[in-house]
Amino acid sequence: MDYLEQRESEIVTNIHAYFKERICDNPQAVLAQVEGELAALYVNYGNDWTGRGVVADTVQEATIAGLEGVRAECLQLLEEMTTPDS
């Protein structure tokens, strides 16, 4: 595994570990926080007219991927909480 792949994996893993307990405690609050952060990251990602470089792009893409994973987990948990048992 080269440096960029290792760094990407580390970032995604750390983001998930940071939010893991909080997702179970209050998925709605985590969802709101993550969606705000993602909105800012997507704007920043699009504002690359001077060029960040391959390392900074990898970090930003990994951060977005990690937060999107957290967002998906929150949405799934919220859906399970609102879906009546069959």
Side-chain angles (χ1 to χ4, degrees):
M1 186 179 303
D2 70 346
Y3 171 77
L4 293 177
E5 290 173 347
Q6 181 180 357
R7 185 72 177 126
E8 181 178 6
S9 176
E10 180 182 295
I11 290 168
V12 171
T13 301
N14 288 343
I15 287 172
H16 185 265
Y18 176 78
F19 284 105
K20 185 175 183 167
E21 187 175 321
R22 294 179 56 212
I23 292 169
C24 295
D25 292 341
N26 192 348
Q28 187 66 46
V30 173
L31 180 61
Q33 178 185 355
V34 166
E35 286 181 340
E37 291 180 26
L38 281 168
L41 283 168
Y42 281 125
V43 168
N44 189 24
Y45 190 71
N47 292 336
D48 186 24
W49 59 274
T50 61
R52 272 185 294 274
V54 69
V55 174
D57 278 343
T58 299
V59 169
Q60 187 145 14
E61 290 167 1
T63 303
I64 289 170
L67 290 174
E68 285 288 0
V70 169
R71 180 179 179 273
E73 196 170 333
C74 288
L75 290 172
Q76 180 180 2
L77 185 57
L78 288 168
E79 183 177 326
E80 290 170 3
M81 292 169 61
T82 59
T83 303
D85 293 333
S86 300

